Amino acid sequence: MAAQVRVRFSPAPTGMLHVGSARTALFNWLYARHTGGTFILRIEDTDVARSRTEWVDQIQMTLRWLGLDWDDGPHLQSHRFDTYLAAAERLLVEGFAYECYCTEEEIKERNEEARRDGRAPGYDGRCRDLTVEQRLELVGEGRPRAIRFRTPDEGRSTFTDLIRGDVSVEWSTISDFVIVRSNSTPVFFLANAVDDIDMEITHVLRGEDLIDSTHRVLALRRALGSETPPAYAHLPLILGPGGAKLSKRHGAVALEEFRDEGYLPSAVLNYLALQGWGPEDGNEVMETDSIVAQFDLDGVSHSAAMFDHQKLDWMNGEHIRALPLADLVGEVLPFARDRYGGRLDVQVFEDAVALAQPRAKTLVHIAQQVQFLFIPEDEFRIDEAAWEKISKIDRLADFLDAAIQHLAVCAWDPESIDLRPLIEGLGLPVRKTMKAVFAVTQGSDVGLPAFEAIYLLTRETTLARLRAARARL
RNA sequence: GCCCCCAUCGUCUAGUGGCCUAGGACGCCGCCCUUUCAAGGCGGUAACGGGGAUUCGAACUCCCCUGGGGGCACCA
């Protein structure tokens, strides 16, 4: 057996957890749990200007909501600047890095010029081999000092990716890069390399957008004296519909949004696991435990996946239907309380959720479906389009009169409430006429099973709504 | 512009030289069930980007092209 697996999820706290990051977190977590390894949470907040502690908290909350627990951390890189700076100093002394006195503006200008001339952008190496005198002069001018890592001028960099095989690039295409900013804060590459060494990370699973930066991190690690690099696995990206970058335009992209829209964490986790990975038996609806048991790296696909909200909706419905009623009620309750507050009758609510469960896509959807039971009577409205449709129904007034008469005296149970015999008795078409029942009692011509719904509505309210509709004709 | 990665139904994917007249899932369409809408059942639609090469035989191997994505920051 190989050494214990140690993986980490290392987000930058610059915003909410995006589905792409969440998928990366998930795969790291799955791999750790599958192998019995350690899952570490590390916050890469080296960009002090953009990082915010509220995002650090928010990210943790979201990971917990998804059900991803970590064994170690969160470790904030902002607490370890001294360590990174000391490492940079060592690299400086040993000649792996050098001091750079070019200003950001100068570099930007030179890059733009290079682009105009059709040359490749990237640092031009101006400060690479300054003499002591030159350095002193630049310092004398009051110029800021950054530290740059010196990349090889020739040869190739190659590493073996766990899911892509050998990945290699010509060193000449990778220019010297900054590892310490002129304001003396460390940059991602440095902190990342140092921490992965110190935390003894064995496997780095991250998005494919980072594949090019791996060569630089690996070179840094070697310069820092690390002889055994971790295994790298670059995960396919998650794209929006049409293959464009997944963005707000395509609907929810932050996990918090999915939570607020009434998606179950188990469904989101299940769907995310399917972005780039699939179970061998093809059975896609899975409990988290089952995913953990089956997950492995060689099942990960190579190509990017497009995020499909429709499939997520279906998946969420599957998970909603798999939930025991009591659990589902607990899940929907916050959404319902939010809408109906004290008007919510828990017993009625439970029965209504049971009716909604087989036809629900999201928890919010369920909360909306039971609305007709809990809104104040003076706020109850029949959907205009539905009213338009049902008002054309043949002999609607006769039917409503008969229904009122029947419901005023019948026993109050769904069986006795059943209006179909009455409709047939009047010689009216059942399906068509039932549309009116839905609209008049629930506000829309589609809804929860009519007679159970009427039973929950109570005799009094039902009669009131029928009479109001009759009066409106 | 240069570099890197990728390439099977609309989408997620199975497929690792013959089991493929390419399988499953979402979606879509039809039928059944049915008090609406769903759910469920049954059936259908739909793909190996193009061209070479290797081979008795290529979705699967190799090369070229094309296409898509990513990167080339004192962001991560």
Side-chain angles (χ1 to χ4, degrees), chain A residues 174-193:
Chain A
I174 301 176
S175 62
D176 299 345
F177 56 95
V178 169
I179 55 175
V180 176
R181 298 184 185 88
S182 51
N183 67 2
S184 296
T185 59
V187 173
F188 157 74
F189 295 103
L190 213 214
N192 191 273

Side-chain angles (χ1 to χ4, degrees), chain A residues 18-21 23-24 27 163-164 207-209 234-247 250 253 270-278 284 299-309 311:
Chain A
H18 187 274
V19 292
S21 309
R23 201 277 317 264
T24 298
F27 278 31
I163 66 189
R164 288 161 210 287
E208 202 206 317
D209 53 334
H234 287 93
L235 277 16
L237 263 21
I238 298 178
L239 274 24
K245 196 176 163 190
L246 185 59
S247 69
H250 304 118
V253 290
N270 193 165
Y271 180 71
L272 249 26
L274 259 25
Q275 298 281 286
W277 176 82
E284 296 184 328
V300 176
S301 73
H302 297 191
S303 48
M306 295 191 205
F307 197 86
D308 183 355
H309 280 270
K311 187 154 183 175

Side-chain angles (χ1 to χ4, degrees), chain A residues 98 100 102 106 110 123-130 176:
Chain A
Y98 59 89
C100 175
C102 301
E106 288 168 345
R110 277 185 254 153
Y123 188 63
D124 56 10
R126 182 167 302 209
C127 295
R128 244 190 174 198
D129 300 297
L130 297 176
D176 299 345

Side-chain angles (χ1 to χ4, degrees), chain A residues 192-410:
Chain A
N192 191 273
V194 169
D195 277 353
D196 280 354
I197 293 170
D198 287 357
M199 294 176 177
E200 300 182 282
I201 299 302
T202 60
H203 298 257
V204 177
L205 318 192
R206 33 148 46 168
E208 202 206 317
D209 53 334
L210 291 168
I211 199 164
D212 290 309
S213 77
T214 305
H215 300 95
R216 281 173 279 184
V217 174
L218 249 16
L220 254 177
R221 287 183 64 112
R222 282 192 293 273
L224 288 166
S226 166
E227 282 163 18
T228 50
Y232 281 86
H234 287 93
L235 277 16
L237 263 21
I238 298 178
L239 274 24
K245 196 176 163 190
L246 185 59
S247 69
K248 272 266 192 295
R249 191 160 59 79
H250 304 118
V253 290
L255 272 261
E256 287 86 342
E257 296 176 272
F258 289 106
R259 181 198 58 202
D260 295 345
E261 287 176 15
Y263 290 88
L264 290 170
S266 67
V268 174
L269 188 151
N270 193 165
Y271 180 71
L272 249 26
L274 259 25
Q275 298 281 286
W277 176 82
E280 274 186 37
D281 64 7
N283 189 354
E284 296 184 328
V285 182
M286 295 169 283
E287 289 305 315
T288 303
D289 288 350
S290 165
I291 299 173
V292 167
Q294 297 182 68
F295 183 81
D296 76 279
L297 250 27
D298 26 84
V300 176
S301 73
H302 297 191
S303 48
M306 295 191 205
F307 197 86
D308 183 355
H309 280 270
Q310 278 187 311
K311 187 154 183 175
L312 204 216
D313 284 350
W314 164 78
M315 180 67 76
N316 202 48
E318 290 293 307
H319 280 256
I320 283 175
R321 265 162 253 134
L323 227 46
L325 181 59
D327 293 351
L328 180 60
V329 167
E331 294 285 353
V332 187
L333 202 54
F335 292 98
R337 282 232 184 284
D338 192 42
R339 277 150 218 265
Y340 315 122
R343 302 187 55 84
L344 201 70
D345 179 299
V346 177
Q347 186 54 54
V348 171
F349 177 66
E350 252 188 65
D351 292 343
V353 169
L355 296 177
Q357 183 170 25
R359 60 204 90 234
K361 276 199 171 88
T362 66
L363 304 176
V364 165
H365 183 208
I366 296 178
Q368 284 165 350
Q369 280 185 300
V370 303
Q371 170 181 260
F372 71 99
L373 291 166
F374 306 113
I375 59 165
E377 202 51 31
D378 58 353
E379 284 177 27
F380 175 77
R381 297 278 180 280
I382 295 171
D383 175 71
E384 271 317 310
W387 178 258
E388 185 73 24
K389 217 185 291 177
I390 67 158
S391 56
K392 291 184 188 129
I393 290 174
D394 192 34
R395 291 168 60 206
L396 182 60
D398 290 351
F399 165 66
L400 289 177
D401 285 336
I404 289 165
Q405 217 166 63
H406 172 77
L407 293 173
V409 298
C410 73

